[in-house]
Structure formats: structure tokens, C-alpha cells
Amino acid sequence: MIIDKKTLGHLAELSRTEVDPEKESKLLKDLENILAYFEELKTLDTKRVEPMAGGAALTNVFRGDEETLRLVNEKALGAFPEKERGFLKTPPVFEGEDF
Amino acid sequence: MPHFYPKNLTVKSFAEGLKNRDFKAREVAEYFLKEIEKANPELNAYLSVFAESAIEEAKAVDRKIEVGSGLPPLAGVPIALKDNILVEGTKKTTAGSKILEFYEASYDAYVVERLRAQDAVFLGKTNLDEFAMGSSTENSAFGPTKNPYDLLRTPGGSSGGSVAAVAAGLALAALGSDTGGSIRQPAAFCGVVGLRPTYGEVSRRGLIAMASSLDQIGTITKNVEDAAILFDAIRGADDFDSTSADSEKVSSPTHLHKDDFREMVIGVPQEYMRSDLDPAVLKGMEYAMDKFKTLGFKIVPVSLPHTHYALAAYYIIVPAEVSTNLARFDGIRYRGTKNQQPTTHNLSEIYLKTRGEGFGDEVKRRILLGTFVLSAGHYDAYYAKAQKVRSLISRDFDEAWKKVDVIFAPTTPTTAFKLGDKSADPISMYLSDVFTIPANLAGLPSISIPVKKYDLGGGELPVGFQLIGRHFHERAILGVGELYESL
């Protein structure tokens, strides 16, 4: 198994996404099937092929350094569930006996 | 009793009727809103309906007509928008997900700004697979949409709501998004025209991102002529999307001279015309090719040898980009599924729980898969490899353009499948995009056109074919498509 239970736990932690224990075995099976499907790419010789990153062949796209007031403060803050004095409020990152 | 004929109404005929004062924008808007009220509980095409603002927008257009103002091409046109496109102030912009159930959009998407500038009327936001991940709209957290041609079948996805709305006469036109076929596949399943533009033609500002190197907003209309009008309205370089291109330099405006296109050579890729196609699809392709022959087109076989590997490459690249784009949904910056009040003050647990509860199964699958293919020790074997395969697929098309101007292909391997048929097996769902994905990987424009006109009560499931064009040559696929429809 390329992705086993331990790896899945690791991926869940990396992506900060909790997996429902009841759905775990089906998830492992689905991921296994999908990864098996990818195996056929190994038969392709891509040694001298440049990777293609994106859909556009543009490079160094910048816009002028002009102020165009787009998103007014209140609107941007409006989406925050918790806010205080114009700041996004979050639970403490560091807490507990370590500090 | 409306004195316009809704079934035959198109964006173009609506504009003419409005100008000739055959009807008012307001009565057409009211008509559509009433139809939505009747049909939507069953169909579930719309997630939110803008009943009041639509009427106000229509009234404003009528006032302009009263004073004799000139009208832009889309004035008063009742349009539906996929719910991953931001419309400022709408209380719920969900992307089909519980994790955004209470998100209020804080700005208009670029395409919305452009439509507003033309006084279009917004009917509401339509249903989609969660974060545009899916091919049937069954992954929506708010229930699936049904196919207007057969209520036991899916309309396809992920733009199922937008497509069902146009097909069922609940909007005159709609916008969707297409990353791997999410406009074209449902368009084929529901007998409407779906255009996915060249990557970079239409700004992605205000489109909730799924896979940034592949996403494009596109049009869903009853015919090709309308697709050209709507596409012209939404395309353009945007300072706030660095991947949007100034295509004015490359392609001319979409004013079409019909005879110019008869000289184009149509290529048919042998890899797409598989013998295991659904018989209805095979029959549809034969019918369409006969029509092209009757129109006098030269049809030439071509080969796109790496077609077979496109699906695998796509389903490595997309989850990778998804895992990055969806990292922002942490329940802190965007309103979470509920006000997570302390069962915990632990930040890490808030992330885990919000995302665990807020994301559906397919989204989670892709996030985890994406995390895996980008992780140390696996990056080269999967993601880097997939990017190289992407180059090969793109090169296949480059080779083909030496011989042909437009590529003809089936849009889907089957007609619309039944609700529940593919939802247990991710790979069988992915396979429904096998013909649409390659164009996305190469960044090419592609339009799905119904093989013929279908009737909602007719008992026949629609079939669509694709026309794929060179980068920024929407003009070619629209022109050839219009000739097809004129026969």
C-alpha cells in the first residue's frame, strides 16, 4: 500500500484536515485505486521533456505601482467571523505550559 | 400572457425584441423568476435567487429604453451565475460547500463587473459540485441538480446548476467554470452550448479558485451565436489577474464572416473516436460529421498520441493545486460552518475540525492526494512527472495544428448517467472527463455543441460534440460552430 493508515494520518495532519474514522477504510481504498491508475505514467519516457507549469506562457507580469483603492477596509473585514479593532481575531497560536 | 416566445428566445432575439419594444425587460425577468419558483424545488438548479434585485435591474433597463438611451448587447438579459463566482453583497457564496455556507462575497468578480457594465440582469447563483470538483453536481453540499431531460439523471458537472437552468428555460444564459470539462460535459448532457475559453482569455478575479493553472470561466447558452456575444462581454486583460492575456493583439474581435470559416480544415483525432463509445454518442458523431461534410468542410484524421495519459496527469496536477488553494479555508478568515466556540481554543484543532466537518468526501480526497503528490519523496515521481506529461499533451496539439485548424471530437463517452451511478467510485466519475481534459491541460479553447436540437419531452438524451481551437482562436470554433447550426 502506497498510502497506508500511518501515511494517511500524516497527510491529514499536514493538510490540517480531519478524517472521519468511519470513512477511513474506504478512503484508503479509493486513494489506492487512484494511485494505481497513475502507474501507467511511469511507462512514458519524459527524460528530455520540460515540465509545463501552467496554461499561460506569460512571464514577469506586473501592473504599475499605482494605488487603486479596491477593497475598502470594512468590506474585507466583513468576512472575518471574529474581529477586534480592525484586526482578525484568532485563538492563541502559542499556549499552555510551554510558555 | 407574455407576448414573447420564451422557448425560442435567445440573447440575440431578446436584444432585438427589447429594442423594438415587443416586451419590457421587467416582464421577461418576472417570467423567468416565476418559472424558477415553479421548477427549482424539483430541479435544484439555483442555490439562491435574486428576486428583488433582478426586478430592479430590469426596471432600470426599461427606464433607459424609455428615455431612448442606446443599449449594450446584454442589457436586460436574465443571466444565472455559478456559485463560485463572486457577486458583492450576496449573503451566501457557497462554492457548493458547507465551509462557505455563510460567506458573504466582498467584491464583484471581473466578469460580474463586465456584465453589470452591460446592464445584464442577475437571476441568481447556481448549484455546483463542491469547489467545482466533480462531474455530476452530486458533490454539492446542498443536494444534486437534476437533468431537465430526465429527472433521474445527473445534468453533469461541475456547472450542473447553470447548465440545467439554461436547458430548462430558467435563464437565458449562464456563466460556469471549466477546469477539466465542467462546462462542456454538462452542456453535452443537457443539449446546450458550452464554451470554455483559452486559458487567460477571461479573468479569474473573483472566481473561487480550484486549480489555478487550469480554471477558466466560460459561457452556457442556447446557441453558438449567443456564446459569441456573451464571450465578447466577459473576455479581456485584467490587471488583477496576472494570468489574463491581452488577446486583442492575437485574435480579432468575434465579428464573424461566415464564409471565412468554410476554408478551415477539421481534424478528427483517432484516439477520441473509440469503439467503446456509447452507441448514442457514436451515432451523434457520425451525424455531426455528415453535416460538416455537407457544409463542404475538409475532414482529415489526426493523431494526439498522448491522449491516454491525460487523465492521470490531470488528477495529479489538480489535487496538488487544490490542496494549496483550499488551504485558506480554516474557519478563521472565512466564516466557518458554525461559530466554533470553545470546545477548544486550540488553533490546530479548530483547523482540523472546521475542515474535517466543512469539506465533503471528494474535496477531502483531492486535498489528501494533493498533499501526497507534493510531499518530499513523492514530488518527482508524481507532480513533476505529471507536468512533463502535460508538455507532451500540449505538444500533440501543436503538431496537429500544422495540418488542421479545428479539432472535432465527442465531448463525453456517454450520455447523461443516472444519479448515484458513479458516486461510489471516484475513477469511474473521473473517466467521464476523458475527452474534455486534454484541451484544459494544453490551455486551448473548446466549445461543446449539441449534435441537433433536442426537446425536453422528446425522450432522447442529448449528445454533444467538441470543437477545439488554437490558443486565442475562439473565433475559429465559434465560426465553424455557427455554420453547423445554420444548416
Side-chain angles (χ1 to χ4, degrees):
Chain A
M1 264 199 136
I2 307 177
I3 298 181
D4 57 16
K5 206 166 153 177
K6 183 157 167 257
T7 309
L8 185 64
H10 179 57
L11 295 174
E13 207 191 297
L14 276 179
S15 62
R16 302 289 189 270
T17 307
E18 195 169 68
V19 174
D20 182 350
E22 290 186 14
K23 297 193 174 173
E24 198 179 87
S25 60
K26 176 162 196 294
L27 183 54
L28 283 167
K29 187 153 163 286
D30 285 337
L31 291 172
E32 192 66 18
N33 288 338
I34 297 170
L35 286 174
Y37 189 75
F38 295 159
E39 286 297 298
E40 55 184 32
L41 291 185
K42 295 196 172 144
T43 64
L44 272 179
D45 179 8
T46 54
K47 269 197 294 287
R48 277 200 235 4
V49 182
E50 279 301 300
M52 180 176 169
L58 305 165
T59 52
N60 292 340
V61 178
F62 298 106
R63 65 181 168 91
D65 187 14
E66 295 135 16
E67 186 186 312
T68 44
L69 195 60
R70 290 249 146 205
L71 202 57
V72 177
N73 216 275
E74 297 95 65
K75 284 194 212 165
L77 290 178
F80 295 165
E82 305 266 333
K83 42 190 178 267
E84 200 176 284
R85 290 180 294 127
F87 293 99
L88 171 67
K89 199 162 152 187
T90 93
V93 178
F94 307 111
E95 61 180 353
E97 302 102 45
D98 301 339
F99 297 94
Chain B
M1 183 62 190
H3 41 273
F4 55 92
Y5 300 100
K7 277 201 178 41
N8 301 327
L9 201 62
T10 64
V11 171
K12 182 122 188 276
S13 65
F14 172 89
E16 278 157 13
L18 207 60
K19 202 173 79 182
N20 297 336
R21 308 202 180 201
D22 294 340
F23 44 76
K24 292 193 182 232
R26 185 202 177 135
E27 36 176 323
V28 179
E30 279 171 348
Y31 166 82
F32 276 103
L33 289 169
K34 262 206 208 71
E35 288 298 298
I36 292 169
E37 208 183 317
K38 283 191 287 185
N40 201 55
E42 172 84 73
L43 225 49
N44 199 32
Y46 282 88
L47 293 177
S48 40
V49 181
F50 302 154
E52 280 157 29
S53 56
I55 301 291
E56 290 310 307
E57 286 161 3
K59 277 159 76 175
V61 171
D62 287 331
R63 280 195 294 271
K64 277 194 176 174
I65 299 172
E66 285 296 307
V67 300
S69 287
L71 293 178
L74 291 177
V77 173
I79 290 182
L81 300 168
K82 189 174 181 180
D83 204 20
N84 59 357
I85 296 172
L86 265 54
V87 176
E88 185 183 336
T90 37
K91 290 284 168 205
K92 295 168 43 156
T93 300
T94 67
S97 181
K98 282 247 174 297
I99 212 168
L100 286 179
E101 201 176 353
F102 305 109
Y103 173 58
E104 182 177 325
S106 37
Y107 63 97
D108 275 342
Y110 175 84
V111 295
V112 172
E113 280 183 3
R114 295 293 301 270
L115 292 178
R116 278 202 206 282
Q118 288 209 27
D119 298 324
V121 167
F122 298 128
L123 291 172
K125 309 301 289 302
T126 56
N127 201 12
L128 64 158
D129 282 298
E130 190 179 359
F131 287 106
M133 298 185 216
S135 310
S136 67
T137 317
E138 291 173 289
N139 290 333
S140 168
F142 307 105
T145 298
K146 294 180 186 170
N147 190 318
Y149 283 85
D150 180 340
L151 299 175
L152 296 175
R153 291 179 192 265
T154 79
S158 60
S159 309
S162 275
V163 166
V166 174
L170 304 182
L172 203 47
L175 293 187
S177 69
D178 187 309
T179 304
S182 290
I183 286 177
R184 289 165 289 153
Q185 182 250 31
F189 280 2
C190 296
V192 296
V193 173
L195 169 69
R196 180 228 138 76
T198 309
Y199 183 83
E201 270 279 17
V202 179
S203 169
R204 292 179 295 111
R205 172 178 30 125
L207 171 69
I208 297 178
M210 174 176 133
S212 305
S213 77
L214 294 156
D215 291 343
Q216 271 294 276
I217 293 173
T219 66
I220 293 151
T221 53
K222 288 185 186 173
N223 62 22
V224 178
E225 194 176 35
D226 282 0
I229 297 169
L230 194 52
F231 170 65
D232 207 29
I234 61 173
R235 63 193 275 252
D238 177 17
D239 275 347
F240 290 85
D241 175 358
S242 60
T243 61
S244 77
D246 189 357
S247 67
E248 292 292 309
K249 299 178 181 152
V250 191
S251 70
S252 58
T254 49
H255 181 65
L256 311 167
H257 290 287
K258 291 203 166 149
D259 289 330
D260 293 341
F261 303 101
R262 290 186 197 271
E263 303 300 308
M264 292 198 167
V265 180
I266 298 178
V268 180
Q270 60 205 51
E271 291 82 4
Y272 285 55
M273 301 306 287
R274 294 177 350 205
S275 52
D276 62 343
L277 288 178
D278 189 310
V281 173
L282 213 48
K283 204 160 140 241
M285 295 307 106
E286 283 161 9
Y287 178 89
M289 281 204 278
D290 279 342
K291 249 179 111 167
F292 279 118
K293 285 185 193 135
T294 308
L295 285 163
F297 280 97
K298 186 158 170 245
I299 301 179
V300 158
V302 293
S303 175
L304 299 170
H306 296 93
T307 300
H308 178 63
Y309 302 98
L311 200 76
Y314 178 88
Y315 278 105
I316 291 173
I317 292 170
V318 164
E321 296 187 9
V322 158
S323 69
T324 305
N325 277 328
L326 268 63
R328 71 193 69 186
F329 300 112
D330 53 11
I332 306 285
R333 283 166 290 171
Y334 297 90
R335 201 164 292 272
T337 52
K338 33 188 176 247
N339 264 330
Q340 58 278 351
Q341 274 322 311
T343 46
T344 175
H345 262 306
N346 180 301
L347 194 62
S348 186
E349 267 195 56
I350 288 179
Y351 292 152
L352 286 167
K353 285 218 168 335
T354 305
R355 293 161 66 79
E357 287 165 18
F359 289 140
D361 290 346
E362 180 62 31
V363 169
K364 272 196 212 163
R365 233 183 329 258
R366 296 201 196 187
I367 290 174
L368 293 165
L369 199 52
T371 307
F372 178 74
V373 304
L374 289 175
S375 60
H378 300 289
Y379 182 94
D380 281 323
Y382 291 101
Y383 188 70
K385 182 82 181 183
Q387 285 187 309
K388 293 181 173 195
V389 174
R390 188 173 182 174
S391 284
L392 291 174
I393 287 161
S394 193
R395 274 196 221 164
D396 280 357
F397 283 102
D398 290 339
E399 278 304 303
W401 300 135
K402 293 178 183 169
K403 283 173 71 180
V404 303
D405 301 300
V406 160
I407 288 173
F408 169 97
T411 305
T412 55
T414 66
T415 51
F417 45 87
K418 289 217 161 88
L419 289 157
D421 255 7
K422 296 188 191 287
S423 39
D425 177 12
I427 293 189
S428 79
M429 187 67 84
Y430 299 164
L431 284 167
S432 51
D433 292 329
V434 68
F435 298 138
T436 47
I437 276 172
N440 295 85
L441 288 172
L444 297 171
S446 177
I447 189 168
S448 179
I449 298 172
V451 159
K452 58 181 183 153
K453 287 254 176 293
Y454 294 95
D455 286 315
L456 279 180
E460 221 185 327
L461 288 175
V463 173
F465 65 87
Q466 277 187 97
L467 294 175
I468 305 170
R470 290 182 177 89
H471 291 107
F472 302 112
H473 282 222
E474 278 80 349
R475 185 172 44 115
I477 56 178
L478 288 165
V480 174
E482 246 193 80
L483 276 172
Y484 182 88
E485 276 187 344
S486 66
L487 197 62

